Amino acid sequence: PSPSVAEPKPSAAPISTPKVKVMPTLKEPVRSLGRDEIETLLKQGEDFVSVGDFSSARIVFGRVAEAGDARGALALAATYDPVALAKIGAKGATPDEAKAREWYQKAKDLGSAKAAPRLEALKNRAQ
């Protein structure tokens, strides 16, 4: 015969759950890139867009945006912008107006003068 295993007795004590610590928003660039690296990545992103590889372009532009460069955020937003995609006759890119707005806002926050009119164009399109 096998030994009997004692069943744990129910406890009236509440089960404590760990508290989740919320990290503050970073004000500094996530990743530092030099001027030459930024220029190279922007060119690569443009090359990807020109051949219709929007997935790769988004990755490259995202790296530039993470480094705190408004041009990267602006270019990334354009890869989601239904207005911008229609202007270039993009095929294979899935527009996402919410992401376009989000990245245009980040570009604006990073100092892009071109972001505000694009945000306005999206707003007018939705009306």
Side-chain angles (χ1 to χ4, degrees):
S2 63
S4 63
V5 177
E7 293 284 324
K9 293 183 181 179
S11 165
I15 298 173
S16 66
T17 56
K19 294 186 179 182
V20 177
K21 184 177 179 181
V22 177
M23 298 300 290
T25 305
L26 296 174
K27 300 289 184 199
E28 294 181 23
V30 174
R31 183 176 188 198
S32 180
L33 295 174
R35 181 181 299 243
D36 290 342
E37 287 177 295
I38 288 173
E39 296 303 326
T40 299
L41 289 171
L42 288 171
K43 173 73 172 100
Q44 285 178 341
E46 291 167 7
D47 291 344
F48 285 131
V49 167
S50 72
V51 296
D53 186 353
F54 291 93
S55 295
S56 296
R58 288 171 178 165
I59 291 168
V60 172
F61 290 144
R63 287 184 187 158
V64 176
E66 286 175 358
D69 191 289
R71 296 171 298 169
L74 188 73
L76 180 55
T79 69
Y80 290 108
D81 183 345
V83 175
L85 293 172
K87 279 184 184 177
I88 64 170
K91 295 189 189 319
T94 304
D96 185 328
E97 202 167 311
K99 284 186 180 181
R101 264 193 241 100
E102 176 185 336
W103 283 106
Y104 281 140
Q105 185 60 54
K106 287 181 184 181
K108 183 179 173 186
D109 294 345
L110 289 169
S112 174
K114 295 178 181 179
R118 293 188 185 186
L119 279 166
E120 191 63 31
L122 283 176
K123 182 180 173 186
N124 291 338
R125 180 181 182 279
Q127 293 175 351

